[in-house]
Each structure stands twice: as structure tokens, then as C-alpha cells.
Amino acid sequence: MGRGPRGAGLPPRRLLRLLLVLSLARGAPAAPRADDVCATCHEHATCQQREGKKICICNYGFVGNGRTQCVDKNECQFGATVVCGNHTSCHNTLGGFYCICLEGYQATNNNKTFIPNDGTFCKDIDECEVSGLCRLGGRCVNTHGSFGCYCMDGYLPKNGPQPFHPARDATSCTEIDCGTPPEVLNGYIIGNYTSRLGSQVRYACKEGFFSDPEDTVSSCTAFGTWEFPELYCQEIITEINDVSVFNNTCIRWQINPGRMSSETVYVIHIRGQRLDAMDSIHEETVNLTTDSRTPEVCLQLYQGTNYTASISTALPRRSVPAVIGFQTAGLLEDGIFNISIFNETCLKLRRHSRKVGAEQMYQFHVLGQRWYLNNFYHAMSFNFTTREQAPVVCLDLYPATDYTVNVTLLAAPEQHSVRITVTTAPAAKQTIGNISIFNETCLRWKSMTTADLEEMYLLHIWGQRWYQKEFAQEIIFNVTTSSRAPEICLDLQPGTNYSVSLLALSSGLSVLVSLTTQITEPPLPDVEFFTVHGGPLPHLRLKKTKEKNGPIRSYQVLVLPLALQSTFPCDSEGATSFFSNTTDADGYVAVELLAKDVPDDAMEISIGDRLYYGKYYNAPLKKENDYCILLRITSEWNKMRRYSCAVWAQVKGSPITLQQMVGVGLGSVAVVILLAFLSFSAVWLQTAAAWEGCPAAGRVS
């Protein structure tokens, strides 16, 4: 029996092992010869022929000797501007690099990445080419690397400042609505109106009141508020002048022209007393209704009696009572006279005497007081000599003052005196001039009253905030001074628009001035301080801060080197994003949240969660570094920013976040599984080897 081919009798398992060994032997490289230089080149090197010799040269992007070392060359180490050009970021890769344009710019080759050796550079993106970018009522303005949104005419920024960015700011443009127009004391609005920009309302005084001018207009302004109407409705006070006695018992007077056109009810109160009686013997009140401008009334009076008649208007009209003193005829005696008032401060004396042309001397005692000034007195005394039967004396009196005038006829057989009262009207001209604002909340003005004369000023202050519709502040108080250049500083709230009305009580004419207070630092963040030594970082519990000192714009979490905790200024803007820093020396902003995105109760933030908050990346903290973590609140209004900071945590050693803890746990599980698999493989291999050495069942030798 012939033999088969060689190897045909091998068992299948041994044949398989032989084929495996042969294939491995065929694929194994031969050992390099000692003189083969190219075989010793580094994996990142190329063998080149130079001057008849073969040498190993590191590939482009690597540096080294070409054989034992070729390390990556960091092309970005000289800075993005030097390597890639302006408005770029440089990114190193193994053996190369690439450039990316910063936000707001795009590469001229229209690709996301580029190498600047082909002339590609970063140019500004005109974001305003996209219609509706700034939303309803917004107007887009392109800037280098960005853009800003402004509200168009007829719209106002709401929930934030302007310019604003629609992606990160809560500001929106709302159509201006000035709301309900302000009320005018004793005035009303004529006709209908709207509350949009440019709308106007017309005011007039109610019946019984007047103003000069008689009406005024208030407009809805671009600030979303109504102009304060400069209409001061003063109550019509009927001026009763030139009171005189005729036909012994009749009284006539005149009223001021141009203020009244309807019938008026006058009240005439008379009180009579004889010289030889201590008590009043005749007292009576008479009403007269007439539309005449020179009313007159005849009374039933006793003869030979001294009378005082007071004339005033009945309600609802008001007047300054006019008083006249006179004596009814009996037996005509020398020294009897009466007094009437005209032109408010002038007195006409009518003397009854048989001696016509005889010289007579009158003695005047005048005392004036103001109800609103406890220490105000205006007193004067003088004598007046005349031969006239009806002389006129005009007194130099202060406005808005109550006077008592006592006149005595001297050198008569019996001295007779007449007392009357005079109330002067408020000054017809403005007594406040050159009002100005200094130190933001202080007012200074010039008093145009008589020198060294004490004056009382009434201040009425209204405060409003656009970012707090529910905020309203009203202050009313008086200040008394005799200074010719008064100054006053007001206790006002920050970040508020104010209207201040200043009124001199002696004139009744007010001056309106507007002022705006700047914002101050927001309240300190309410955080719980932690010190962490290598353990996990707790969550930051962020609570919303009340807008007491100005509108809150944003909340930021800053990660700083611990060494900077005592020297870092809260208002510093040197800390940028994590990727913008080449080193950690200045720290970085890890989280930024707009005020509108923070809930009213609270929210939690985990440091190092690898998420983006706005444009800022919340990077994990580096091991073995010590950090200080701050919470910063920013207020912004009228192109001014204010900050407040609080230290949230001090981190020392190697802290790990919750995500890192999960990663470590998963890694440990993976190691256990791998070890178990390797142990199982070893046992299996041993079992297979033992099985191969055993004779097959039923084999015959």
C-alpha cells in the first residue's frame, strides 16, 4: 500500500498550528543591516539622500534628530495674530495647525478653517444683512466683529439696556406707550387723546380757577413719559377794590376785570359801635347778588355810629375781604373819617370836617404776618400830613401777607382811629431763577425776593423707574431760608428718574426740573461659602437679587487663582472666557446668566460641567491647582456699570466634580471586567492545551 503525500497523516489541529507558524514567519521582517540608515528613521521622519549620504529628517511640523526623536512643533506658540492674522484663533495639531476666525468674522475662502499660506484672512461679518435680526422695533448697527441693536423711533428698550444683543440680552423694543397722562390739580383734560409717541393732551383749569396761560399742552416723549404739564390752576380770588361810602349809608366797590362773567353773591357784614358804648349796638349780614363790576348797596344804619363793613364773595367763589371803616352822620364833628382800599395796597381817607383846607396829621401803624412763617413780621410806622379832604396813601407791602393797618387822626378834639385788614396777593412774577443741579441730587437757585427776607419753598418730588413699573416715590416737604442763593440736597434713590417741583409760597409760581440718579453697586450676592480640599465641589445655589440700586444685567461665576482673591478688583473686566486665555494667571469666566434667565426662587450650577453658559465654557478645574470661585452681579444703566462680588468657594488640591466621580466609578468597573476576562481567557487556553494532549476517544494504535 503506497504512502500518501507528506503531512497527509498529520492530525487536523497540528496542521492548523503549522500553517499559522508558517504565515507568521513569512510576514516577519528581516533584521535590518547595520549600514541601513533609512531603517532607523523615526515614524514621523523621512529618509533623504544628501551629498551621497542617507539621513533621517523630521517631517514638516515636527522637530528632532530624525531617528530617536521627532516631537510636534507648536506653531501657535507665537500667538494667533502672528501666525493666523487678526481676529483669529490658532489651533495646534499633531504635525500641523489650523486657524479659525473669531466670532463675528469669516474666512475669505468661505471655509470654517484655513491655513494662511494662501492669502486667506478673516473679514468682518455684516450681521445686519439678516433682516429682523433685532426683532420688532429694533434697528441693527454693524460693528467690528459684532453688531448692536437699537430701538427705532417710537420704541423704547424694555428689560435691559441698549445697544443690546438679541442672543444674550433680554432687551426688547416695545412701542412707546406713555400711559395715563398726569393729573393737574384743579385742572382737566380737554377732548380725547392717545398715549403713543408724539400724542398731545390739552389741559385747562376747572371753573373757579385760572392760569396764565389759560391752557397748556403735554406731549408723549421718546422716554415713554408725558411732559409734566406746566399748568398751575390758581383759585380765582375776587379782588374787591375802591370801597367807598356815599349818601351816608351806602357802600360802593369795584371788582377786578377779566376774571368773572356770571352773577356773584356778595356778603356784607356790618358792625356798629358808638363812642360812648363798650358793646356792639348794631350787627347785621346782608347778601347782594349782581353781575355788575361796580356793585353798590344801601344799608339801614344808626346815626352817629362808628361802623366797620366787611365785603366778601359767597362760596364757591373766594375773595380777600375788603374792609371799610366809617361813621354815620349825626352831629358832624371834626376828626371823623373813613377808609377805603383800592389797588390792593392803597388807602383812600375821607375826612369829615368843618374846617376845609386845614392841615391834618394821620399816624399809621402797619403789621404784616404770613401764616406759613412763624418768625415773619413786617412792621412799619409813620406819620402823614395833608390838607386834602380825601388823601390817598399807598403802602409798600410784601406779597402773600396778611396786614393789619391802624390809622389815627392826630390833633383832633378827640383822637379817632380806624383799623382795617389787608391781604396781599401772591407775587405776579417768578421769584425763583437760575435753578441748576449739582452733585447729582442737589439743587441751587437764585432768590429774586427782597434781600434778607425769609421765604418758604414747597418741594414736591416724584420718582419712577422704567425697569420697575411698581416703583413710585413721592416726597413733599417745606424749607425756609433767607438766603439769596439757596441750596438743598435731596435724599433720592439710585437709578431713578425724578421730577422736582419747586414753589415759592410768596409767588405761587413753581419751577419744574428733572434729574436722573446714577445706579450704585447692586446688593451683595447671597451665597453660602465653602472650602474644598480635594473633595467634590458642591453645587452653587444662585438666588436672584432684588433690583434696589439699579437694573440687574447678569450673574457671572469667575474662576481665579487663589493668590488673586485678595487683589482681584470686582469691576475688573480682565477675566475672559476659558479658551481666550493662554494661561490661568488672570482667571476666566465660567458661567454667565442674564437676569431674565434666573428664576425668582433659586437655581443650581455645577462648576466644571463642560457646558456653555452664554458664550462662556464651564471647564473642569485643573488638578493640583488652588482656586477662588467668585459670584459677580452686574448692574447696567445709562452706559454705566456697577458690580458686586462675593467669594463662593476656596478650592485647594485636586477637586473632582460629580461627573468626574461618575467617570472614575465607570473606569473602575471597566478594570474589574477586563481582569475577569483575562483570567477567564487564561483558564480557557490551559484547558484547550490539556485537551489537545489527550488521545482521542476510540483511537487505535
Side-chain angles (χ1 to χ4, degrees):
M1 186 172 183
R3 294 188 303 176
R6 184 179 181 182
L10 290 177
R13 290 183 179 176
R14 291 187 178 182
L15 179 62
L16 180 63
R17 292 174 62 184
L18 179 61
L19 292 174
L20 178 63
V21 170
L22 291 175
S23 64
L24 291 175
R26 188 180 297 112
R33 300 195 311 273
D35 58 347
D36 189 358
V37 176
C38 293
T40 63
C41 289
H42 193 272
E43 61 176 329
H44 297 305
T46 302
C47 187
Q48 298 183 13
Q49 188 82 18
R50 296 282 180 91
E51 298 179 356
K53 295 181 179 180
K54 295 181 179 179
I55 59 175
C56 296
I57 299 177
C58 290
N59 296 334
Y60 177 81
F62 295 89
V63 292
N65 56 22
R67 301 183 69 181
T68 62
Q69 186 182 36
C70 281
V71 297
D72 175 57
K73 176 183 178 182
N74 184 7
E75 292 87 352
C76 297
Q77 63 181 326
F78 302 107
T81 302
V82 174
V83 178
C84 298
N86 294 327
H87 317 302
T88 61
S89 62
C90 183
H91 301 266
N92 188 57
T93 61
L94 186 65
F97 72 99
Y98 63 91
C99 303
I100 296 179
C101 293
L102 297 179
E103 184 179 1
Y105 296 86
Q106 67 178 8
T108 53
N109 64 359
N110 296 321
N111 294 327
K112 185 175 181 180
T113 64
F114 67 93
I115 303 296
N117 58 6
D118 62 352
T120 301
F121 62 93
C122 293
K123 65 177 182 178
D124 175 58
I125 299 174
D126 187 359
E127 295 86 352
C128 295
E129 292 180 352
V130 180
S131 119
L133 183 63
C134 294
R135 300 190 288 264
L136 179 66
R139 174 174 57 89
C140 182
V141 176
N142 188 53
T143 60
H144 289 293
S146 185
F147 67 97
C149 291
Y150 296 80
C151 290
M152 297 187 297
D153 292 341
Y155 291 82
L156 273 180
K158 183 180 180 182
N159 299 327
Q162 71 170 349
F164 62 91
H165 196 289
R168 63 172 181 264
D169 293 325
T171 307
S172 61
C173 295
T174 59
E175 189 174 3
I176 290 176
D177 186 348
C178 291
T180 304
E183 295 183 356
V184 171
L185 185 64
N186 301 321
Y188 68 99
I189 294 175
I190 303 173
N192 299 323
Y193 65 88
T194 65
S195 56
R196 301 304 181 190
L197 177 65
S199 300
Q200 292 184 330
V201 293
R202 185 173 297 275
Y203 293 86
C205 294
K206 296 178 181 178
E207 184 177 0
F209 299 86
F210 78 97
S211 176
D212 190 13
E214 295 184 354
D215 58 14
T216 190
V217 169
S218 174
S219 299
C220 177
T221 69
F223 298 102
T225 58
W226 290 99
E227 294 175 338
F228 191 81
E230 304 220 357
L231 184 71
Y232 306 100
C233 295
Q234 298 168 348
E235 191 173 4
I236 295 177
I237 300 178
T238 305
E239 298 177 13
I240 302 175
N241 299 315
D242 293 341
V243 183
S244 61
V245 178
F246 66 99
N247 295 340
N248 195 39
T249 62
C250 299
I251 302 176
R252 180 188 296 122
W253 63 91
Q254 293 183 350
I255 63 170
N256 54 303
R259 296 296 183 196
M260 300 166 58
S261 59
S262 59
E263 286 189 340
T264 304
V265 179
Y266 297 92
V267 179
I268 302 99
H269 182 79
I270 58 173
R271 187 171 182 271
Q273 184 177 19
R274 287 182 177 172
L275 296 177
D276 55 355
M278 296 298 294
D279 298 328
S280 173
I281 62 169
H282 184 200
E283 191 164 359
E284 185 178 358
T285 300
V286 177
N287 291 341
L288 172 68
T289 302
T290 179
D291 58 0
S292 174
R293 295 193 177 277
T294 56
E296 57 184 43
V297 62
C298 291
L299 308 169
Q300 293 182 354
L301 306 177
Y302 297 154
Q303 293 183 348
T305 303
N306 283 330
Y307 279 98
T308 299
S310 174
I311 308 169
S312 61
T313 57
L315 295 175
R317 298 191 183 276
R318 289 188 57 200
S319 66
V320 177
V323 180
I324 183 171
F326 61 95
Q327 188 176 37
T328 56
L331 294 174
L332 194 61
E333 299 177 4
D334 286 339
I336 298 176
F337 65 98
N338 57 54
I339 301 174
S340 61
I341 305 171
F342 68 99
N343 292 343
E344 191 180 73
T345 61
C346 295
L347 307 180
K348 182 178 288 186
L349 290 66
R350 290 184 175 88
R351 178 166 56 90
H352 306 283
S353 176
R354 297 187 183 92
K355 300 177 181 179
V356 178
E359 188 176 74
Q360 299 291 337
M361 178 179 290
Y362 297 88
Q363 186 179 66
F364 288 75
H365 291 285
V366 183
L367 178 63
Q369 290 181 290
R370 288 177 175 169
W371 62 269
Y372 53 87
L373 294 174
N374 294 329
N375 298 322
F376 178 89
Y377 295 97
H378 181 208
M380 58 181 173
S381 297
F382 62 92
N383 293 337
F384 175 69
T385 302
T386 181
R387 296 179 182 274
E388 298 179 9
Q389 289 292 108
V392 173
V393 178
C394 291
L395 306 175
D396 186 13
L397 306 181
Y398 292 149
T401 307
D402 298 323
Y403 283 95
T404 299
V405 182
N406 192 76
V407 183
T408 302
L409 179 59
L410 302 177
E414 293 184 12
Q415 293 187 356
H416 295 280
S417 298
V418 177
R419 175 177 293 181
I420 61 172
T421 59
V422 177
T423 299
T424 55
K429 64 179 181 179
Q430 180 62 263
T431 59
I432 301 174
N434 298 337
I435 188 168
S436 60
I437 304 170
F438 67 99
N439 292 344
E440 190 179 82
T441 61
C442 298
L443 300 179
R444 180 190 293 121
W445 66 92
K446 179 181 179 182
S447 173
M448 294 181 286
T449 58
T450 305
D452 301 326
L453 186 62
E454 195 173 49
E455 177 64 281
M456 177 179 283
Y457 298 93
L458 173 66
L459 287 99
H460 194 166
I461 304 168
W462 301 269
Q464 290 181 313
R465 290 172 173 171
W466 64 264
Y467 55 90
Q468 279 184 320
K469 294 298 183 182
E470 70 278 6
F471 178 88
Q473 184 183 16
E474 185 175 13
I475 307 172
I476 302 175
F477 66 94
N478 296 328
V479 60
T480 302
T481 179
S482 58
S483 172
R484 301 287 290 168
E487 295 181 356
I488 186 170
C489 291
L490 307 174
D491 184 15
L492 304 180
Q493 296 292 324
T496 309
N497 295 320
Y498 284 96
S499 294
V500 181
S501 174
L502 179 64
L503 171 69
L505 294 187
S506 66
S507 70
L509 299 177
S510 62
V511 175
L512 187 69
V513 62
S514 299
L515 60 87
T516 298
T517 56
Q518 297 293 344
I519 60 174
T520 57
E521 287 74 14
L524 288 174
D526 183 12
V527 295
E528 183 180 356
F529 175 74
F530 295 95
T531 300
V532 181
H533 293 276
L537 280 172
H539 287 89
L540 168 61
R541 186 172 177 83
L542 176 60
K543 300 179 182 178
K544 200 163 191 175
T545 300
K546 293 184 177 180
E547 296 178 314
K548 293 182 178 179
N549 304 328
I552 303 296
R553 180 185 180 275
S554 64
Y555 298 80
Q556 287 183 332
V557 178
L558 282 73
V559 178
L560 306 175
L562 186 60
L564 294 182
Q565 176 178 334
S566 59
T567 59
F568 179 78
C570 185
D571 59 353
S572 171
E573 297 187 0
T576 57
S577 65
F578 177 80
F579 292 114
S580 298
N581 284 342
T582 56
T583 67
D584 294 336
D586 297 328
Y588 60 90
V589 179
V591 175
E592 181 179 62
L593 295 171
L594 298 180
K596 70 178 182 66
D597 298 327
V598 178
D600 293 333
D601 46 6
M603 67 179 297
E604 292 188 343
I605 300 173
S606 177
I607 299 300
D609 60 7
R610 294 184 172 89
L611 299 178
Y612 275 90
Y613 293 84
K615 64 178 181 179
Y616 296 102
Y617 178 64
N618 188 8
L621 302 183
K622 296 182 179 179
K623 295 182 179 181
E624 305 302 333
N625 287 357
D626 296 337
Y627 294 99
C628 168
I629 300 177
L630 299 181
L631 177 61
R632 177 164 71 180
I633 300 177
T634 303
S635 284
E636 184 174 359
W637 192 41
N638 282 351
K639 300 181 180 180
M640 179 174 290
R641 288 187 179 182
R642 290 290 184 266
Y643 306 88
S644 63
C645 294
V647 179
W648 172 56
Q650 288 182 348
V651 181
K652 299 180 179 180
S654 304
I656 58 176
T657 64
L658 294 178
Q659 291 87 343
Q660 290 173 323
M661 292 179 64
V662 173
V664 170
L666 293 177
S668 300
V669 172
V671 169
V672 171
I673 294 174
L674 178 61
L675 291 175
F677 174 76
L678 293 177
S679 299
F680 176 78
S681 300
V683 171
W684 184 85
L685 290 175
Q686 291 176 357
T687 303
W691 178 260
E692 181 179 350
C694 295
R699 176 187 254 182
V700 179
S701 58

